[in-house]
Amino acid sequence: MKKKVFPLLLLVLLGISSAWTASDSRKKSDYYNYDNTDVTFNISAGINSGSGFEPYTFMAQPYAQIDTKYFQLYTGVQMSGEIFHATTGGVFWPLRLRKMRLGAGMVYHFNYFDDVSLCHDLLFNLHYEVRPTYWLGFKMNAGYFYKARRIFAVSDYVGYIKNNSVDFSIETDFFLPYSITLYTRISSYEMFRYMVFCAPSFSFGITKSLGKRLDLTFETTSRYIDFFTVSARYDDTELRLIMGLHL
C-alpha cells in the first residue's frame, strides 16, 4: 500500500497543476533556457523523527550553489548532534539546448558519526534535465556509487567496509502562477544521506519566490530501507524549512 502513495500523489499534483495552468497567462518566452547564471546561498533547518539509521532530532544545513550555462557546483555541511556531514559536487553540461541539457557529474560526501563510524562516498552520474513546457520540468540522474565505511568498533580487524552500488534520482517540478513551485522526488540518495541501493527517499516540497533574490521552501522527506523487497521498512521522516538567497 505504501508503495502506491507516491505515484498517486504525483498524479494528483499533475492534475491540479494542469487545471491551474490552463488559465495561466504566462508566455512561452518565460521558459527557463538553461543559459542564466544563478548563485545561491541556502540555510536549511529541520526536525527528524529520530527513528532512522542516524538518530537525531534537529539539524541545520548551510550550503551554496552556482549554476551556469556550462557547469553546476555545490558544497555544504549538515550539523545534527553527534553526526556531521560534508558534501561537494558538480555537473558539467556539454549538451545544452533551449529546453533541455545533458551532462555528467561527480559527488564526494564525508560523514563522521561520533564514536561510531566515518564514511566516504563517491558518485559518478549522468544527468538529464528537460523543461518541455513552461509549467513542467523533469530532472533525472543515475550512475555508479562507491562507499567506504570504517566502523570504529571493528576497524582493527576489518578496516574499511567497501560497497559498489548504483544510485538514481528522479524529480518532477511544477512551475505554477504566483511564483510557486511544487516538486516531488524519489531518490536513492540525498545531498547529506548516502545509503546503499534499496533505501530510497520520497520528498515533496513547495517553494515560494519572494522577489528576485529570496525564496522559501518547505520540504518533507520520508525514507525507507529495503524498499524494493518484501521486507520494506520505514526508516524516518524529516521536515525542513529552507531559505534561499540569490546573490
Side-chain angles (χ1 to χ4, degrees), residues 54 76-78 80 83-87 109-112 192-193:
E54 294 183 351
V77 299
Q78 174 176 297
S80 49
I83 307 169
F84 175 79
H85 295 265
T87 300
H109 168 253
F110 172 79
N111 167 239
Y112 179 76
F192 299 105
R193 181 179 186 264

Side-chain angles (χ1 to χ4, degrees), residues 4-158:
K4 299 179 181 180
V5 173
F6 187 80
L8 180 61
L9 176 61
L10 184 60
L11 289 175
V12 171
L13 289 175
L14 184 62
I16 293 175
S17 302
S18 299
W20 194 348
T21 55
S23 59
D24 191 357
S25 61
R26 288 176 296 172
K27 299 178 180 179
K28 291 184 178 181
S29 59
D30 292 332
Y31 281 25
Y32 179 40
N33 60 14
Y34 300 112
D35 284 342
N36 301 318
T37 296
D38 184 32
V39 180
T40 311
F41 177 76
N42 301 275
I43 180 68
S44 172
I47 58 175
N48 187 282
S49 61
S51 58
F53 178 76
E54 294 183 351
Y56 59 92
T57 303
F58 301 101
M59 64 84 182
Q61 299 172 337
Y63 56 97
Q65 175 177 294
I66 178 171
D67 195 352
T68 75
K69 179 178 180 179
Y70 298 101
F71 64 88
Q72 179 185 72
L73 298 173
Y74 57 89
T75 187
V77 299
Q78 174 176 297
M79 297 164 286
S80 49
E82 299 176 342
I83 307 169
F84 175 79
H85 295 265
T87 300
T88 187
V91 183
F92 171 61
W93 303 103
L95 177 61
R96 303 168 306 280
L97 301 176
R98 185 169 182 268
K99 299 180 184 179
M100 59 84 69
R101 58 183 180 178
L102 181 68
M106 185 182 78
V107 180
Y108 169 71
H109 168 253
F110 172 79
N111 167 239
Y112 179 76
F113 194 163
D114 191 23
D115 296 329
V116 177
S117 67
L118 63 82
C119 186
H120 303 275
D121 299 303
L122 279 174
L123 282 70
F124 300 92
N125 286 359
L126 293 177
H127 293 253
Y128 174 71
E129 296 185 7
V130 62
R131 183 84 175 264
T133 183
Y134 65 95
W135 62 272
L136 182 65
F138 296 101
K139 299 177 182 178
M140 294 164 275
N141 66 75
Y144 169 72
F145 172 31
Y146 172 80
K147 174 182 285 290
R149 179 184 294 273
R150 180 183 178 189
I151 301 175
F152 299 140
V154 298
S155 61
D156 291 340
Y157 307 99
V158 300

Side-chain angles (χ1 to χ4, degrees), residues 43-50 56-61 78 183 190 202-205 217-223 234 236-242:
I43 180 68
S44 172
I47 58 175
N48 187 282
S49 61
Y56 59 92
T57 303
F58 301 101
M59 64 84 182
Q61 299 172 337
Q78 174 176 297
Y183 62 88
E190 301 169 40
F202 297 86
S203 300
F204 168 75
T217 299
F218 173 76
E219 182 178 281
T220 176
T221 298
S222 294
R223 300 153 175 164
Y234 167 76
D236 66 12
T237 294
E238 192 159 285
L239 304 177
R240 289 185 286 271
L241 184 63
I242 308 165

